[in-house]
Amino acid sequence: MNNLFIILLTSGFFTWIGWPFTKLLNKITLVERLGLSFLLGIGLGTYGWFILYRLGLPFTLSSLLLTGLLLLFLGNVLGRFYPRSIHLTISSPRPLDKLLIILIGLGLLSAFVIGSYNAITAWDSMALYDFRAHAILLNHDLRDIVDSSYYLSYPLLVSLLHASVYFFGGTNPQGLHSLMFAAFLAVVFGRVYSWTNLRLALLAVFLNLFSYELLMHSTIAYANLPYTIYLVLGFIFAVSGSGKFTHHLLFAGLLIGLSTWVRSTEIFWLIGILVIAYQGLVNWKIFLPLLSILLLLSLRYGWSGYYTKLISVLPEQPQTYGRLLSLETFTAIYHNLPKIYEYIMRYVISPFLGIWTLAVGMGIQSFRLKLRPVRILTFIIFASLAATIAGISVYSTFFATWYQIGDSARRMLMFLIPLTLIGAVLALSRFSEGNHDQTR
Amino acid sequence: MRLNKYQVIYFVTLLIALMAAFLESMSYLGFVAIHFFFPAYIWYLLASIIALVSKPIQSPLQSLLKIISWISVSVYVSLMIAESLTYPNFVYTLTHINLQGLQIFVLLIWFILLVSQDKQTDPLLRLGKNLLFAALIFVSAEGLGLSLAFLTKGITYAVSHSLDSYEDKLTKAHGGFYSAMRLVTELTPSNTLILIPPQGNPWEVEGNAPMVTYYLYPRKVENLRDQIGRSDRQVYALIAHGSWPKSGDTDYGWPKIKLSATRLWKFDVSNHSYLTYNRDYDPATDNWDWGLIEVSHE
C-alpha cells in the first residue's frame, strides 16, 4: 500500500512540474493537458536531474526537488510570455461512448494492478534499467555504471524514473509504466478529438489500449514503451503543427528529443526532423521549426555527447560505424540479401501483418481523399520501414549474431502500432460526422 | 442463380486463393509455391484484383462469405488466446495450424467480403477503404482477444496470490537462483569479488554478470575463465550446477577445477539454509546445485 502511495506521489510530482509547459498549447482538453504534463514532467524532470548531476550536484531527493522547482520556474516564465491555455471542452458522451469509457477505464486499471503487483523480473528491466536505479540510489552518482558499455547502452530516463520512486521511499516502480501508458492514451485522445469527434477519439484510445503489444509492455519495466510514447507523440505534434498550430512543432521537437533520452541508437528522430522541416516549408515558417529542430538536437546531444566521451576511454568499445558507406559494406549487404529478406519477412512484416495492411489502406485513402495529416503519418510509417530495412542491412554486416535477435526488431518497431492505429482512425473520419477539424 | 463467365472466373480465382491460404495455414508459408508451382500470394493478388474490378456480388454467396469470415476470425482469435495462455508454438504443436498462414486467410476473406458488398466505383478508393476496414477488424479482434486473455490471466494471478511478498514473487520468477543470491549476500561482505560461471548454457542466468550483479551489488561480479587472478578484494566463487536444461557440449557443474578454500557452503535453496565445510573445493565431490566457496589465496 505504501508503494502505491509513493507511485501516486511521484506521478503527482512529475505532473506538477510538467503542467506549466502545457500552458503553451491552446485548445486542448483537460485530459490531454494532464497526460502531457505527466509525460513532460517525467522527461524534463529526469533530464534536468541529469544536467544538475553533470553540473556537480549528486543524485538525491533534494536535487530532484530542485530540478522540479527550476522547471516550474521555467515553465511559468514561458507560460507568462506565451499564454495560450484555452481549454477545449469535451462533448457529452452518448451510450456507446460511455461503454467505451468504462471499458477503457477497466483496461487501464487492470494494467496498473498487474504492473504494480508483479515484481520487476523481465531480463533487461532488472539487469539494466532497475540495476542502474539501485546503484544511483546507493551511490548518488554514476560510478559502476560509467565503466561498462553495457550499462551505458541506453540513456537514463527509465533508470532515473525508477530512482525517483526509490528516493521517495517506494519499493517497486513498475506501476509507473502503466500510468505513463494512461498518460499517452490521454494525449492520443486529445489529439484525435481535436481533429475528429468524441466517438473516434475514444475508438483510437480503445484500439491502442487493447493492442496487446502496448498493453503488455505497460505492465513491465522495459524502455520500449516509454520510447514509443515520446516518439509517437512527437510525430503526432509534428503532424498537427500546421496553420494556426505551428507552435505544436515545438512540442514535436521536445517530445522527439525526449525519445532519444530513452533510447538513443535508433535513427527515427531523423524522420521527425524531416516532418518538422516539411511543416515549416508548407507553412512558410522558419523560426519555430528551426527552434524545434535545435531543441530536438540539443536534447539528443545531452546524452550522446556524454556517452561518446565516456565510451571513448573504455577498453570494450562498441563497433564504430566509420566504414558505413564503404564498398565493403555494400558488398556484404549484397551477399546477405536472401537472409536479410527472410529476416524482414519474419520479424518486421509478419508480426505486424494487420498493421502493415492498415497502413497501406490508410495510405491509399489519404492520397485519394487528400487527408493531409494521414498522408504525413503514412510517410512516417513507410520512412520508418525504409530506415529499418537499411539499418538491418548494415547491422547484418557488422554483427555475426544479427540473425538471432529478431525479437528486438519487433520491439523496436512497436511505435508503428499506435501511429498506424491513429492514422487509421483519422482516415475513418471521412465516414463519420461532426468532426472538429477537417483532416485535410 | 445463373453466373456469367466473369463471375465464374471471379469465384474460381477466389476459391483457389482461399484454398491456397487454407493450405498454407495447415502447413507452412511457401507450401503452395513448392507443391503447386505458383506462389500463394499470386493467387491472393489475382483474387483481390478481380474482386476490386467486379460488381458487388449477390446475396446467397455473400452470406456464405460472411459466415466463413466470421468463423475464420473467431477461430484465429481463439487460437491466439490459447497460444497466449499457454506457451509459444502451442497451437502448432497441438493442431499443426500455422497462425502466420491463418492470419493471411482471415485478412483475405474479410477483404473480399467487404469489397464484394461495396458499391464504390473508383477501384483505388475501393481498395483503400476495404483494406482499411478489413485490417481494422482483424487488428481489433486480435488485439482485443489477446489483451483480454492477458488481463484475465494477470488479474486472476494477482488476486489469488495477493498475500505474496516481493521476495515470494522473485522466488517464483527465478526459483533457486534468487534464493542462492540471497544466501550469497548474507554470507559475504559488500566489498568482495564474486566469481561466477562463464555465460552460456547451462548457466544462462547464473553466468550472466549483469543479472547476478543486480542481486549482489555492490559486490563485484566477474565471470571466471581460466584461473583466479590477483585481486585486492576477498574472493568468493559461486557453486552452480546449471539451472537451464543442457543443450550443448558443456557438462553441468561449476567450478570445474579444484580450488584452495577456507570455507565452503552447500546451499539448500528451498529451505533458505546452508551447511558449512572447512576444506578445499573439489568438483568431484562438491558438485552441488548451489553453493559458495571462500577462496584461499595461499
Side-chain angles (χ1 to χ4, degrees):
Chain A
M1 196 52 80
N2 180 49
N3 188 60
L4 277 185
F5 172 73
I6 298 293
I7 294 278
L8 296 176
L9 177 76
T10 314
S11 308
F13 170 74
F14 283 121
T15 310
W16 183 48
I17 63 176
W19 182 265
F21 291 93
T22 64
K23 287 184 182 166
L24 296 170
L25 284 167
N26 64 347
K27 282 195 176 177
I28 66 168
T29 61
L30 184 63
V31 175
E32 180 177 5
R33 200 177 290 284
L34 272 171
L36 192 59
S37 301
F38 181 50
L39 295 172
L40 284 178
I42 288 177
L44 293 174
T46 51
Y47 195 86
W49 201 15
F50 171 67
I51 297 295
L52 285 190
Y53 168 73
R54 297 281 325 266
L55 293 173
L57 287 184
F59 287 113
T60 57
L61 188 57
S62 317
S63 64
L64 177 63
L65 295 176
L66 179 65
T67 310
L69 285 176
L70 289 173
L71 284 170
L72 275 175
F73 175 73
L74 180 68
N76 278 310
V77 167
L78 289 173
R80 186 156 295 220
F81 283 112
Y82 305 99
R84 285 200 178 98
S85 57
I86 303 164
H87 279 303
L88 188 64
T89 47
I90 301 171
S91 53
S92 44
R94 286 177 285 176
L96 183 59
D97 302 329
K98 284 180 185 163
L99 177 68
L100 282 173
I101 293 169
I102 292 169
L103 291 175
I104 290 165
L106 283 175
L108 283 175
L109 182 68
S110 308
F112 179 66
V113 169
I114 294 169
S116 305
Y117 170 83
N118 285 339
I120 295 178
T121 53
W123 201 289
D124 271 353
S125 58
M126 292 177 83
L128 180 61
Y129 308 116
D130 204 51
F131 165 72
R132 296 191 306 191
H134 280 294
I136 288 167
L137 176 76
L138 196 68
N139 303 322
H140 305 287
D141 57 29
L142 297 178
R143 87 181 73 143
D144 298 331
I145 292 173
V146 293
D147 55 5
S148 153
S149 63
Y150 173 70
Y151 291 131
L152 284 174
S153 56
Y154 291 103
L156 295 171
L157 185 142
V158 173
S159 297
L160 288 177
L161 179 65
H162 286 202
S164 66
V165 173
Y166 296 137
F167 275 117
F168 275 116
T171 49
N172 179 7
Q174 197 160 242
L176 266 176
H177 289 255
S178 54
L179 292 182
M180 282 183 84
F181 186 43
F184 165 71
L185 294 177
V187 185
V188 168
F189 170 82
R191 286 300 80 221
V192 179
Y193 183 71
S194 71
W195 270 315
T196 61
N197 55 41
L198 180 63
R199 176 72 48 84
L200 288 180
L202 287 172
L203 181 66
V205 172
F206 183 82
L207 290 173
N208 274 292
L209 170 61
F210 292 106
S211 63
Y212 181 64
E213 198 99 0
L214 300 179
L215 181 73
M216 190 274 285
H217 271 265
S218 77
T219 64
I220 58 172
Y222 266 35
N224 301 85
L225 184 65
Y227 175 73
T228 295
I229 287 173
Y230 286 107
L231 188 70
V232 168
L233 294 185
F235 282 147
I236 299 293
F237 273 101
V239 171
S240 72
S242 172
K244 286 181 288 179
F245 300 98
T246 37
H247 62 282
H248 284 196
L249 294 180
L250 272 184
F251 282 79
L254 189 61
L255 290 160
I256 297 172
L258 287 175
S259 78
T260 66
W261 174 230
V262 187
R263 293 172 73 93
S264 57
T265 45
E266 285 85 348
I267 54 161
F268 301 112
W269 54 275
L270 281 170
I271 298 169
I273 288 185
L274 283 181
V275 175
I276 293 169
Y278 168 78
Q279 291 284 45
L281 276 176
V282 295
N283 288 288
W284 292 93
K285 301 265 181 185
I286 291 181
F287 178 68
L288 272 175
L290 202 62
L291 191 63
S292 167
I293 292 170
L294 279 177
L295 190 60
L296 189 162
L297 292 175
S298 12
L299 282 170
R300 183 180 141 72
Y301 183 74
W303 172 257
S304 66
Y306 181 67
Y307 171 81
T308 312
K309 193 179 113 193
L310 288 173
I311 214 80
S312 61
V313 294
L314 287 184
E316 22 144 15
Q317 285 187 31
Q319 185 79 46
T320 57
Y321 295 88
R323 60 183 175 93
L324 186 70
L325 293 174
S326 66
L327 184 66
E328 193 187 315
T329 306
F330 284 109
T331 316
I333 290 174
Y334 180 74
H335 176 75
N336 288 347
L337 269 182
K339 208 84 174 146
I340 292 170
Y341 172 77
E342 196 186 321
Y343 182 92
I344 286 164
M345 290 310 285
R346 185 185 283 188
Y347 299 114
V348 177
I349 304 296
S350 190
F352 300 110
L353 190 67
I355 291 294
W356 291 119
T357 314
L358 206 54
V360 172
M362 80 185 216
I364 295 170
Q365 282 284 97
S366 68
F367 280 92
R368 203 68 180 167
L369 300 173
K370 299 189 173 60
L371 305 166
R372 202 163 154 271
V374 190
R375 240 192 280 181
I376 303 176
L377 283 174
T378 309
F379 164 76
I380 295 171
I381 291 163
F382 286 100
S384 304
L385 175 65
T388 305
I389 293 172
I392 289 169
S393 305
V394 173
Y395 192 73
S396 76
T397 67
F398 279 77
F399 301 98
T401 55
W402 70 280
Y403 197 77
Q404 295 164 13
I405 45 174
D407 200 43
S408 62
R410 187 185 164 137
R411 280 189 273 127
M412 183 181 75
L413 288 173
M414 212 168 79
F415 71 92
L416 291 173
I417 300 171
L419 269 185
T420 313
L421 291 174
I422 293 166
V425 172
L426 292 182
L428 280 184
S429 66
R430 291 293 297 177
F431 311 104
S432 172
E433 289 173 358
N435 298 325
H436 291 114
D437 192 358
Q438 280 301 307
T439 44
R440 286 172 182 271
Chain B
M1 188 180 66
R2 285 183 64 83
L3 300 175
N4 62 37
K5 62 180 177 185
Y6 297 109
Q7 284 172 323
V8 171
I9 293 172
Y10 178 4
F11 293 123
V12 169
T13 322
L14 175 61
L15 200 67
I16 295 174
L18 289 178
M19 281 300 292
F22 183 75
L23 276 175
E24 297 215 335
S25 308
M26 295 297 158
S27 53
Y28 53 87
L29 297 180
F31 176 87
V32 173
I34 291 170
H35 294 278
F36 299 95
F37 185 65
F38 270 120
Y41 61 82
I42 298 279
W43 292 108
Y44 305 154
L45 213 60
L46 213 58
S48 304
I49 292 168
I50 293 175
L52 275 172
V53 295
S54 302
K55 285 180 186 160
I57 58 171
Q58 282 150 10
S59 185
L61 286 164
Q62 210 179 77
S63 306
L64 183 68
L65 270 181
K66 220 176 257 181
I67 292 167
I68 302 174
S69 304
W70 279 109
I71 290 175
S72 68
V73 78
S74 310
V75 168
Y76 177 70
V77 171
S78 311
L79 293 176
M80 286 297 283
I81 291 174
E83 180 112 344
S84 80
L85 290 176
T86 51
Y87 54 86
N89 271 341
F90 166 79
V91 171
Y92 189 76
T93 313
L94 199 74
T95 62
H96 265 261
I97 293 175
N98 161 19
L99 288 171
Q100 284 184 329
L102 191 59
Q103 63 178 358
I104 295 174
F105 182 89
V106 177
L107 269 169
L108 182 70
I109 191 140
W110 271 98
F111 175 70
I112 302 279
L113 170 72
L114 293 173
V115 167
S116 71
Q117 52 193 23
D118 188 6
K119 295 191 174 73
Q120 172 70 254
T121 48
D122 180 345
L124 210 56
L125 265 183
R126 216 175 169 198
L127 171 69
K129 180 181 156 191
N130 294 301
L131 269 183
L132 187 75
F133 278 104
L136 257 184
I137 290 168
F138 174 78
V139 166
S140 48
E142 183 188 51
L144 200 61
L146 286 175
S147 299
L148 289 180
F150 173 74
L151 291 178
T152 311
K153 194 177 170 184
I155 291 288
T156 312
Y157 186 84
V159 170
S160 59
H161 295 79
S162 56
L163 297 177
D164 281 5
S165 67
Y166 200 74
E167 278 160 2
D168 292 336
K169 293 171 195 171
L170 286 171
T171 308
K172 276 176 190 153
H174 292 297
F177 170 68
Y178 172 65
S179 301
M181 293 299 106
R182 276 179 64 205
L183 285 168
V184 173
T185 55
E186 286 168 20
L187 291 167
T188 58
S190 60
N191 59 344
T192 49
L193 170 65
I194 315 290
L195 299 171
I196 59 169
Q199 186 174 3
N201 186 266
W203 307 288
E204 306 278 1
V205 187
E206 55 275 41
N208 184 301
M211 197 69 163
V212 177
T213 305
Y214 180 75
Y215 287 114
L216 301 187
Y217 190 76
R219 291 157 193 81
K220 202 167 156 50
V221 174
E222 274 178 19
N223 296 101
L224 174 61
R225 287 181 177 87
D226 305 322
Q227 57 182 36
I228 300 172
R230 285 227 154 268
S231 173
D232 51 357
R233 296 172 178 233
Q234 170 63 50
V235 180
Y236 293 83
L238 187 73
I239 298 173
H241 180 70
S243 61
W244 278 46
K246 183 173 173 289
S247 64
D249 297 334
T250 314
D251 284 328
Y252 286 118
W254 194 86
K256 295 202 178 295
I257 50 169
K258 287 184 178 179
L259 288 175
S260 169
T262 46
R263 275 181 293 182
L264 306 178
W265 291 278
K266 181 184 182 184
F267 294 167
D268 177 357
V269 289
S270 46
N271 292 313
H272 195 71
S273 60
Y274 52 82
L275 292 170
T276 311
Y277 302 93
N278 296 311
R279 57 175 167 80
D280 289 338
Y281 169 80
D282 185 347
T285 54
D286 307 327
N287 187 0
W288 305 321
D289 283 350
W290 296 102
L292 187 68
I293 305 161
E294 187 176 60
V295 178
S296 159
H297 288 290
E298 287 161 19

